[in-house]
Amino acid sequence: TVNITIDGKKLQVEQGITILEAARQANIKIPTLCFLKDINEIGACRMCLVEIKGARALQASCVYPVAEGLEIYTQSPDVREARKVTLELILSNHDKKCLTCVRSKNCELQNLAEELNIKDIRFEGASIDLPLDDFSPSIVRDPNKCVLCKRCVSMCKNIQTVSVISAAERGFKSTISCAFDRSLEEVPCTMCGQCISVCPVGALREKDDTDKVWSALADKELHVVVQTAPAVRVALGEEFGLPIGTRVTGKMAAALNHLGFAKVFDTDTAADLTIMEEGTELLNRIKNGGKLPVITSCSPGWIKFCEHNYPEFLENLSSCKSPHEMFGAVLKTYYAEKMGIDPKKIFVVSVMPCTAKKFEAQRPELSATGLPDVDVVITTRELARMIKEAGIDFNNLEDMDFDDPMGNATGAGVIFGATGGVMEAALRTVSEIVAGKSFEDIEYTAVRGIEGIKEATVAIGDMKVKAAVANGLGNARKLLDSIKAGEAAYDFVEIMACPGGCVNGGGQPIQPSSVRSWTDLRTERAKAIYEEDVSLPIRKSHENPVIKEMYDKYFGEPGSHKAHEILHTHYAA
Ligand code: HC0
Ligand code: SF4
């Protein structure tokens, strides 16, 4: 430890931490804008300046390490004035249309202006007037709101290793953009939306598709059904001020019911179906010398990353559609028949923690009936906006259940939302199918947690199945490179594009740096996912009565011809 003083307060702090962190431990708040722990620690924006006794100039506290005897001042007149000037300069050419900004009230710039008590902007900034990039089905970039913090650049480059956005220097017109001023639609963006999650302002946002949902709901001819992904229920509450990691499954179902959906279904049910199909596929490939490892195909950001960067692995992908796409296909076939509804009249809305799912839903490969399997995808954030727009008092809603006849999913379905969950759900089922008996010990903790790459060797009958799980595209890249180099070999690999899996998807509620730098959103939300797993009466996909009935009455066996026609697809290079 080292001894320092901050604003006269004597402190003993760990060596190696930054002044910002030391101040935080002492409950002294230093404002920041570009800083995001572990992702963007570059000291670029100069908001976090502090005065250090004996130092020649003010220093950026987010990158300045503590040292024995440092005397630090966070509120001296020089510091206060420097911060205000910096902020006013940023505000002077910012497109300040806060009233209609999607990030209003959740904007780090707006909050800073309030916290620093900015009453007037002393500088006349040249206003930037650059075109919006809204050609991507998932992501909208508004350069006029960009504060050049570079968090998105770092996320895309260092964490996701995609590197499609970077800083372009053009004097005062510096921007963050894609090479040659292309649209995100024209570069190998995976649509993961992780750049949105770290944007402090409204410069990056999802393509808002709520109007499409409202119009469908207003159309009396349509049977509008909704399904919700596993990870939405453990994050939606954050939009209504509930603590991170609060489960709101019942309130979410109630809110969707109030919004007027004919049926409220759970994507988890289709996750159970995916396990039946993917588990069967895995066993077949192992037995029949098929392509190994089988790699999961449910994360559309990962699929797109694979197509652009690792086309040699496309044959390894499971042929299963992702659960929500399977559900869409089931709703327009099995369910349509069962309920006597014309599939053309069924409108499927998916609520997903993911921006890439918007892109996925438009893929021509995902159509079992000639119609798109899923009609519209909205994110967790968009659902929250619809709930607010409808005037629903979310926090006081009485819990409701998902609707019959597709209502009950298992614990295996819900854990899909956290990294390692698809793997664990598959292992729960495959092990029992092979053994022909049921096991008590179903928690595969080796594949849980936020570590980037996890490995496990699992005995299944007399086989030893080698499994690996990667979350975040940078980790996926590492794993694939090691497989390519022959340094590692697996039978089954789970890849999720987002760090932590879907709980931390690019469509989830956005927490400011002041929260997410110090609280691990991935862990807190995943905890809630595993709580829900334990709370459910059935925790193995193959025991789900809804799924059993679907096979009995419609598909026959997992992997049947009919199952292949409806539930599987093929991503070609
Ligand atoms: Fe996921 Fe899914 S678990 S991708 O992470 O597999 O988005 O939550 O809905 O489809 O079920 C996201 C989450 C899903 C799908 C499921 C899978
Ligand atoms: Fe990069 Fe993902 Fe953002 Fe695309 S969506 S620019 S891949 S971080």
Side-chain angles (χ1 to χ4, degrees):
T1 59
V2 293
N3 298 293
I4 60 171
T5 67
I6 303 184
D7 299 339
K9 214 174 177 178
K10 285 197 171 59
L11 301 166
Q12 231 181 28
V13 296
E14 212 184 303
Q15 191 151 18
I17 67 171
T18 61
I19 293 177
L20 180 72
E21 207 161 344
R24 189 187 157 268
Q25 288 174 7
N27 264 325
I28 295 167
K29 190 171 173 188
I30 298 175
T32 59
L33 183 57
C34 69
F35 171 78
L36 187 60
K37 193 161 165 48
D38 299 333
I39 294 169
N40 207 44
E41 304 188 28
I42 57 174
C45 74
R46 318 305 287 171
M47 279 312 305
C48 69
L49 291 182
V50 293
E51 190 172 322
I52 299 171
K53 193 174 174 194
R56 266 178 296 133
L58 300 181
Q59 301 293 330
S61 62
C62 73
V63 289
Y64 202 102
V66 292
E68 183 60 36
L70 279 194
E71 227 176 275
I72 301 148
Y73 299 90
T74 74
Q75 291 298 338
S76 69
D78 282 358
V79 168
R80 294 182 61 247
E81 178 59 14
R83 274 182 201 151
K84 285 199 184 202
V85 168
T86 303
L87 186 54
E88 287 174 44
L89 280 170
I90 295 171
L91 289 169
S92 70
N93 66 0
H94 185 76
D95 179 41
K96 294 177 278 297
K97 295 196 188 96
C98 297
L99 287 181
T100 49
C101 182
V102 67
R103 292 292 298 277
S104 194
K105 294 197 279 183
N106 183 19
C107 169
E108 296 185 37
L109 186 64
Q110 198 182 46
N111 286 342
L112 275 177
E114 189 193 13
E115 282 164 19
L116 299 197
N117 196 17
I118 302 292
K119 295 195 252 351
D120 197 13
I121 297 168
R122 287 168 284 176
F123 313 99
E124 189 65 52
S127 69
I128 326 172
D129 192 12
L130 293 166
L132 273 194
D133 175 7
D134 62 355
F135 300 101
S136 155
S138 301
I139 319 263
V140 179
R141 270 188 343 105
D142 181 350
N144 306 304
K145 289 197 171 148
C146 178
V147 293
L148 303 174
C149 71
K150 301 206 183 115
R151 288 191 199 165
C152 57
V153 174
S154 170
M155 174 54 85
C156 191
K157 178 167 179 242
N158 304 328
I159 310 287
Q160 297 298 61
T161 65
V162 175
S163 298
V164 292
I165 38 179
S166 56
E169 301 302 335
R170 284 192 215 98
F172 88 99
K173 273 200 170 170
S174 294
T175 56
I176 305 292
S177 57
C178 303
F180 307 110
D181 260 330
R182 290 207 177 95
S183 160
L184 276 176
E185 170 69 352
E186 302 164 309
V187 298
C189 165
T190 66
M191 323 249 171
C192 72
Q194 285 299 308
C195 50
I196 301 175
S197 306
V198 298
C199 182
V201 293
L204 283 159
R205 54 187 191 255
E206 69 288 309
K207 174 75 61 74
D208 188 308
D209 288 309
T210 56
D211 283 343
K212 293 183 190 158
V213 181
W214 290 119
S215 324
L217 285 169
D219 187 338
K220 295 282 167 285
E221 294 288 297
L222 292 177
H223 180 75
V224 187
V225 297
V226 66
Q227 55 169 320
T228 60
V232 176
R233 68 204 64 193
V234 298
L236 179 62
E238 292 170 33
E239 293 281 348
F240 299 93
L242 298 174
I244 295 162
T246 307
R247 272 192 293 146
V248 295
T249 316
K251 290 190 196 305
M252 174 182 73
L256 291 164
N257 185 282
H258 280 253
L259 284 171
F261 290 97
K263 296 280 181 186
V264 180
F265 293 139
D266 191 353
T267 307
D268 301 16
T269 307
D272 285 329
L273 184 60
T274 304
I275 289 302
M276 301 307 294
E277 293 297 320
E278 199 160 287
T280 306
E281 185 181 8
L282 173 67
L283 290 174
N284 283 341
R285 286 208 217 169
I286 293 178
K287 280 192 206 127
N288 306 327
K291 191 93 173 162
L292 292 174
V294 172
I295 309 182
T296 58
S297 56
C298 38
S299 165
W302 146 239
I303 302 280
K304 198 156 185 288
F305 181 79
C306 184
E307 290 175 316
H308 291 301
N309 303 286
Y310 292 91
E312 64 273 34
F313 281 101
L314 285 171
E315 289 301 320
N316 290 78
L317 292 179
S318 159
S319 62
C320 289
K321 293 180 181 174
S322 70
H324 89 109
E325 291 288 341
M326 272 199 191
F327 212 158
V330 164
L331 290 169
K332 292 186 181 183
T333 56
Y334 168 71
Y335 171 82
E337 266 176 49
K338 188 175 168 117
M339 306 290 285
I341 308 172
D342 177 357
K344 287 194 206 67
K345 300 268 150 85
I346 298 180
F347 191 91
V348 179
V349 177
S350 296
V351 184
M352 298 280 130
C354 177
T355 45
K357 296 261 174 210
K358 290 176 183 280
F359 157 75
E360 181 188 40
Q362 299 183 352
R363 291 191 70 129
E365 294 94 336
L366 300 170
S367 163
T369 54
L371 307 161
D373 292 334
V374 168
D375 294 283
V376 175
V377 172
I378 58 169
T379 59
T380 309
R381 296 190 291 268
E382 288 164 273
L383 173 60
R385 266 174 244 151
M386 289 187 69
I387 294 171
K388 289 173 190 170
E389 195 178 340
I392 295 169
D393 178 6
F394 186 79
N395 292 343
N396 288 312
L397 286 170
E398 294 280 343
D399 284 0
M400 282 179 78
D401 284 329
F402 292 106
D403 286 319
D404 288 332
M406 323 289 271
N408 296 313
T410 70
V414 79
I415 61 174
F416 267 59
T419 162
V422 180
M423 179 63 68
E424 179 169 349
L427 293 174
R428 287 182 191 178
T429 284
V430 171
S431 61
E432 296 198 356
I433 286 178
V434 170
K437 61 178 181 201
S438 110
F439 296 115
E440 287 297 311
D441 192 5
I442 57 163
E443 302 202 345
Y444 294 84
T445 45
V447 295
R448 295 187 184 184
I450 54 162
E451 210 185 308
I453 298 175
K454 295 163 281 186
E455 291 180 312
T457 303
V458 183
I460 293 188
D462 48 18
M463 295 179 284
K464 292 248 180 291
V465 172
K466 290 193 72 188
V469 174
N471 66 95
L473 292 171
N475 293 315
R477 182 184 289 280
K478 257 190 231 153
L479 183 66
L480 295 173
D481 285 345
S482 75
I483 297 173
K484 245 165 95 168
E487 294 156 14
Y490 305 100
D491 302 303
F492 193 25
V493 170
E494 176 200 300
I495 296 180
M496 288 290 176
C498 294
C502 291
V503 287
N504 189 38
Q508 291 283 60
I510 295 174
Q511 292 290 349
S513 169
S514 56
V515 173
R516 73 173 272 175
S517 283
W518 318 107
T519 303
D520 195 329
L521 300 177
R522 300 166 299 180
T523 306
E524 295 307 310
R525 292 174 183 161
K527 251 191 239 162
I529 288 266
Y530 291 109
E531 264 169 43
E532 181 135 322
D533 169 30
V534 174
S535 80
L536 289 164
I538 304 177
R539 297 176 64 198
K540 302 164 188 168
S541 300
H542 56 287
E543 292 179 354
N544 183 340
V546 176
I547 300 298
K548 283 189 193 165
E549 192 189 332
M550 230 183 263
Y551 280 110
D552 281 351
K553 300 236 169 90
Y554 198 71
F555 289 118
E557 299 289 313
S560 69
H561 182 69
K562 194 160 192 173
H564 265 274
E565 274 184 344
I566 296 173
L567 308 176
H568 291 251
T569 188
H570 185 69
Y571 299 109

